[in-house]
Amino acid sequence: MSTPAAFAASPADAPNPHYPHLFAPLDLGFTRLRNRVLMGSIHTGLEDRASDFPKLAAYFAERAAGGVGLIVTGGFSPNLVGWLKPFGGKLSWPWEVRPHQFVTQAVHDHGSKICLQLLHAGRYGYHPFTVAPSKLKAPINPFTPRQLSARGVERQITAYADAARRAREAGYDGVEVMGSEGYFINEFTAPRTNKRNDAWGGTPEKRMRFAVEIVRRVREACGPDFIIIYRLSLLDLVEDGNQWDEIVAQAKAIEAAGATIINSGIGWHEARIPTIVTSVPRAAFVDVTAKLKPHVTVPLVATNRINMPEIAERILADGIADMVSLARPLLADAEWANKARDGRPQAINTCIACNQACLDHVFENKRASCLLNPRACAETELNYTKTYRAKRIAVVGAGPAGLACATVAAERGHRVTLFEAAGEIGGQFNYAKKIPGKEEFHETIRYFTHKLEETGVEVRLSTVATPENLAGFDEVVLATGILPRRVDFPGASHAKVVSYLDVLSGRVTVGASAAVIGAGGIGFDVAQYLVHEGESSTLDPARWMAEWGVDPSFESRGSLVKPRPEPPAREVWLLQRTPGKPGARLGKTSGWVHRAALKAKQVRMLGGVEYLGVDEDGLRILIEGIEQVLPVDHIVVCAGQEPRRDLHAELLAAGRGARLIGGADVAAELDAKRAIDQGSRLAAQL
Ligand code: FAD
Ligand code: NAP
Ligand code: SF4
């Protein structure tokens, strides 16, 4: 059975003057979506306990009120063996239905539609009950799955159909069947993980039968007026993944089995090619969606690194896809769609694809949020309510902490003056944005520039705050940031020894070889800066694909080809004193990308290093008891940071108090996530 293929905008709808394709309604025959913005599935951690559903409802309600056309929830397993983790979100019992009604009601009240994602984790489940088509352990999971019998396979299909029926009972407009990213269904379709020789494996047709049966049975269980999105893996990006002709055959069979919409799935979780981090070019993978477009008649969704309306509009206007999926960008800004609809893209708080507060949190078993928007998933707890008593507030420092504090306080009705010693706002983000692959950090500065103006903050650039010009304020908030830590081995003041600020500000031009001292986030970024020359490949998808080994024709199995990294601009060593692999403390979901990128540029990463000194010959180090000289032109110090509190000391000496946020408060382990969170939370209380 197939669903109606007509999905054009009704002629009665006047096109949106700013993004006509993005805001054209989508008629699915039995229901209509108000626009082409699909909020893609993202696990938040609020799915796993019924007691968190009111919070989940508030989170989705804000996105629905913000104008999204269709929302897809985080993944819910159709049964226990499909759990993502022990006691993860599941929809297999009648009593699990009711809490979902909070969510569906809240979304419908704001005019959006919502689908529940059915996600069976298969061998990616982090628990001992996992099942799979074949008994093969995933390289990213310690648990080996049990191979399903033929009857066991049938039971899984029934579980999908039952869960979809329950989703309908709960008020969902449909379900998304997760068939990509290397999860259970994808394991059936790919020869890499399906070694069966029965009705469910052995030939491409038998490998895809499981996916097709699930869609057919879900349609049968839920009737014709129920959205079924199927997330199809268009790019597996692993060896022995699917081949293009197999993917096209799957798309056609899934459409014929009753899918309403096909969503693009890009890359297995075990793939060693990044698919969503900030260094991935915007909309990097839409060409593969375009390649599938002529083969299907149901609406097709483009996905991955689509974060601004211009790019979303282009994808739709070029006929690449019928909808765009955004997940993280809607965590960063719940009002993304309304701002685009109203022609205010400059007001969008653009997701910088850092993963620091969303996916990294999920992998650490913490509730997801957003580095830029601490209210994400905390909508019932953190509110920027109007103040009844407007105060005069001085905020010193226009880095992330000061910007967040100033704008939230002003939004609440306070009269805020922001002092910044530099000639521009942004603080250390002005260095971060210079790192190849971190171009998105420009967007945060653009957003705050707009937000300061919108909220009426008085900005005093090129003004060093002093106790004198801070007189007369009701509150003084110091967001003065950090000072780079100095090193103190022999030769530390040699001309070869420079700070990362010297390098990134352009004060020092680094020679043909360099040693980077300190392998934290900044050390890795500086090494990346030093090995690159010319335009960043993040701005050139074709070069980026070649560097990482993605087949540009998408024809080879798994779409993999030999990576062709560009040669490094200089010889670089990256060093740390702690024994072991440098980069172990980088983000869970992005650290491996930083390490792989530097390895491809032949950066030598050494742990367990003792610094003996610097002289004309270079940097002398001791490693495993053996002394070596690294014959480098420069030694770039990225050895962490200390709080910058000179002004605080002066205020204290004058008998005046001030509140400290961001690096000025605690510099150790400081990142923009903590800076923005702290600034926003303080402003919410002032
Ligand atoms: P800062 O950003 O340091 O801002 C302090 C501001 O105060 C400065 O603009 C300074 O000029 C001003 N100031 C100081 N004294 C005065 C005064 N007396 N009067 C007026 N103004 C004053 N973090 C992440 O989370 N993710 C990343 O990917 C990331 N990448 C980075 C890459 C690089 C290369 C660098 C350098 C940093 C990166 N960071 C990253 C760290 C992040 O930028 C900092 O954690 C964050 O900027 C700290 O914010 P802050 O507001 O506390 O301080
Ligand atoms: P960091 O992560 O604390 O790393 C500092 C490095 O310097 C460590 O590798 C440390 O390693 C070394 N070090 C410390 N004291 C030293 C000393 N006295 N002499 C020599 N080496 C010393 O700090 P950072 O790299 O400056 O980063 C600052 C913050 O920005 C971090 O919290 C980070 O999360 C954030 N950031 C994040 C990203 C990101 O991509 N998420 C990117 C950039 C920055 P040893 O002690 O082992 O030598
Ligand atoms: Fe985007 Fe980073 Fe926010 Fe996640 S934490 S939504 S990646 S800006």
Side-chain angles (χ1 to χ4, degrees):
M1 180 181 150
S2 74
T3 45
F7 50 88
S10 136
D13 295 308
N16 177 281
H18 313 289
Y19 304 104
H21 295 86
L22 190 55
F23 290 98
L26 183 62
D27 188 349
L28 298 171
F30 57 89
T31 190
R32 191 172 124 113
L33 309 180
R34 60 182 164 186
N35 57 45
R36 309 299 177 108
V37 181
L38 179 142
M39 178 173 179
S41 176
I42 187 162
H43 198 78
T44 63
L46 294 173
E47 296 82 0
D48 303 334
R49 274 189 306 270
S51 57
D52 280 336
F53 273 49
K55 289 179 190 156
L56 191 63
Y59 156 74
F60 282 129
E62 282 207 8
R63 273 78 199 160
V68 172
L70 176 61
I71 290 173
V72 181
T73 66
F76 287 86
S77 157
N79 57 14
L80 187 147
V81 293
W83 265 344
L84 208 46
K85 60 176 186 184
F87 309 105
K90 173 171 80 60
L91 186 55
S92 63
W93 297 110
W95 56 86
E96 286 168 335
V97 170
R98 203 158 164 268
H100 286 268
Q101 290 167 348
F102 282 114
V103 173
T104 54
Q105 186 63 50
V107 168
H108 290 151
D109 285 349
H110 292 286
S112 274
K113 311 271 183 212
I114 181 161
C115 292
L116 174 125
Q117 190 188 63
L118 288 176
L119 168 65
H120 188 308
R123 69 174 191 159
Y124 283 165
Y126 200 79
H127 56 84
F129 315 114
T130 54
V131 293
S134 303
K135 190 178 174 178
L136 292 170
K137 195 182 88 61
I140 54 172
N141 194 353
F143 297 99
T144 303
R146 175 171 62 82
Q147 174 166 329
L148 284 166
S149 65
R151 278 187 58 194
V153 174
E154 296 282 357
R155 272 200 296 274
Q156 306 305 309
I157 298 173
T158 303
Y160 272 95
D162 288 348
R165 199 169 27 75
R166 293 206 162 92
R168 183 165 192 146
E169 272 168 47
Y172 286 101
D173 302 281
V175 288
E176 177 173 82
V177 176
M178 177 43 143
S180 66
E181 262 78 353
Y183 288 114
F184 191 45
I185 299 178
N186 210 176
E187 286 168 38
F188 270 90
T189 61
R192 176 183 180 84
T193 38
N194 185 343
K195 307 290 181 193
R196 303 177 74 101
N197 254 319
D198 60 359
W200 305 102
T203 64
E205 292 71 30
K206 289 182 184 171
R207 289 200 311 267
M208 75 174 174
R209 198 176 143 221
F210 184 63
V212 174
E213 272 304 291
I214 287 171
V215 174
R216 195 182 64 73
R217 292 274 299 280
V218 168
R219 175 60 71 208
E220 211 171 77
C222 298
D225 55 345
F226 190 66
I227 300 171
I228 301 178
I229 308 171
Y230 185 84
R231 183 100 173 258
L232 175 66
S233 186
L234 302 191
L235 281 180
D236 290 338
L237 300 179
V238 288
E239 278 171 25
D240 273 340
N242 283 285
Q243 204 161 283
W244 185 247
D245 52 350
E246 297 167 1
I247 293 164
V248 172
Q250 287 167 31
K252 289 182 169 174
I254 279 157
E255 176 172 346
T260 323
I261 293 173
I262 293 181
N263 194 357
S264 305
I266 310 290
W268 289 31
H269 287 317
E270 67 202 65
R272 290 298 88 185
I273 294 172
T275 55
I276 57 168
V277 298
T278 192
S279 55
V280 173
R282 283 187 180 181
F285 302 104
V286 293
D287 287 353
V288 73
T289 304
K291 193 172 159 93
L292 184 66
K293 188 83 176 83
H295 299 286
V296 291
T297 58
V298 290
L300 195 54
V301 186
T303 182
N304 285 45
R305 290 287 286 116
I306 301 169
N307 62 352
M308 284 302 272
E310 290 82 357
I311 194 149
E313 177 69 10
R314 182 177 64 70
I315 290 166
L316 299 171
D318 290 352
I320 289 171
D322 306 291
M323 290 191 87
V324 286
S325 169
L326 297 87
R328 297 172 299 168
L330 293 164
L331 250 71
D333 196 331
E335 290 181 83
W336 191 100
N338 284 347
K339 288 175 179 174
R341 181 199 61 198
D342 300 343
R344 298 194 303 126
Q346 72 281 11
I348 291 176
N349 198 357
T350 308
C351 166
I352 56 174
C354 65
N355 288 355
Q356 285 175 241
C358 52
L359 298 187
D360 283 349
H361 276 204
V362 173
F363 279 87
E364 290 160 11
N365 265 328
K366 293 199 275 196
R367 190 196 303 181
S369 187
C370 173
L371 173 141
L372 300 168
N373 173 20
R375 289 198 64 250
C377 300
E379 287 77 9
T380 57
E381 297 150 32
L382 178 59
N383 278 299
Y384 305 150
T385 47
K386 286 280 173 218
T387 178
Y388 292 110
R389 201 170 74 79
K391 293 182 185 172
R392 290 194 61 208
I393 298 175
V395 178
V396 182
L403 289 168
C405 184
T407 51
V408 171
E411 194 173 318
R412 293 190 54 228
H414 292 299
R415 286 159 53 205
V416 181
T417 306
L418 177 62
F419 295 84
E420 171 53 55
E424 58 187 351
I425 67 158
Q428 290 178 64
F429 265 34
N430 288 307
Y431 299 108
K433 73 185 185 189
K434 294 187 179 172
I435 307 299
K438 282 193 151 175
E439 291 75 13
E440 291 290 1
F441 284 62
H442 282 276
E443 294 285 4
T444 305
I445 298 172
R446 183 265 309 145
Y447 163 75
F448 274 116
T449 305
H450 174 85
K451 190 77 181 170
L452 289 169
E453 209 180 300
E454 189 185 68
T455 52
V457 173
E458 183 192 338
V459 183
R460 295 197 197 160
L461 293 179
S462 308
T463 307
V464 176
T466 60
E468 291 71 45
N469 57 21
L470 291 177
F473 287 94
D474 301 317
E475 298 275 0
V476 173
V477 180
L478 299 186
T480 46
I482 52 86
L483 291 170
R485 181 177 291 131
R486 291 168 179 276
V487 286
D488 66 351
F489 42 72
S493 53
H494 194 283
K496 282 175 181 252
V497 181
V498 296
S499 140
Y500 64 88
L501 295 182
D502 297 322
V503 174
L504 297 176
S505 65
R507 282 194 295 269
V508 168
T509 305
V510 176
S513 57
V516 176
I517 287 189
I522 292 180
F524 265 82
D525 274 356
V526 167
Q528 184 72 10
Y529 179 85
L530 293 174
V531 291
H532 263 83
E533 200 153 45
E535 192 191 53
S536 157
S537 61
T538 298
L539 303 176
D540 182 348
R543 268 175 57 221
W544 185 90
M545 296 267 188
E547 275 193 342
W548 284 95
V550 182
D551 177 1
S553 72
F554 309 120
E555 289 286 342
S556 58
R557 199 166 270 293
S559 286
L560 296 180
V561 290
K562 195 172 173 337
R564 283 186 286 116
E566 291 167 12
R570 44 178 73 74
E571 196 178 10
V572 173
W573 280 264
L574 178 58
L575 312 172
Q576 70 177 27
R577 297 171 305 178
T578 308
K581 192 171 64 170
R585 282 178 33 237
L586 297 177
K588 283 237 183 247
T589 60
S590 57
W592 68 271
V593 184
H594 291 297
R595 285 190 296 272
L598 292 191
K599 208 169 147 201
K601 296 280 190 187
Q602 296 152 40
V603 172
R604 275 166 277 184
M605 293 176 249
L606 305 177
V609 173
E610 189 184 329
Y611 307 113
L612 300 178
V614 173
D615 54 34
E616 278 313 301
D617 294 335
L619 174 65
R620 283 189 302 110
I621 59 170
L622 191 69
I623 183 161
E624 289 175 352
I626 300 169
E627 196 176 321
Q628 299 182 27
V629 179
L630 305 182
V632 291
D633 299 318
H634 283 99
I635 292 95
V636 186
V637 179
C638 305
Q641 306 167 332
E642 308 284 356
R644 180 167 182 178
R645 298 225 191 108
D646 44 347
L647 179 57
H648 189 228
E650 288 177 54
L651 287 170
L652 288 179
R656 290 161 57 188
R659 297 167 189 262
L660 293 170
I661 56 173
D665 179 25
V666 180
E669 312 262 307
L670 168 74
D671 60 9
K673 180 176 74 172
R674 172 151 66 77
I676 290 178
D677 186 79
Q678 203 182 6
S680 306
R681 284 178 195 274
L682 172 64
Q685 291 162 12
L686 286 173

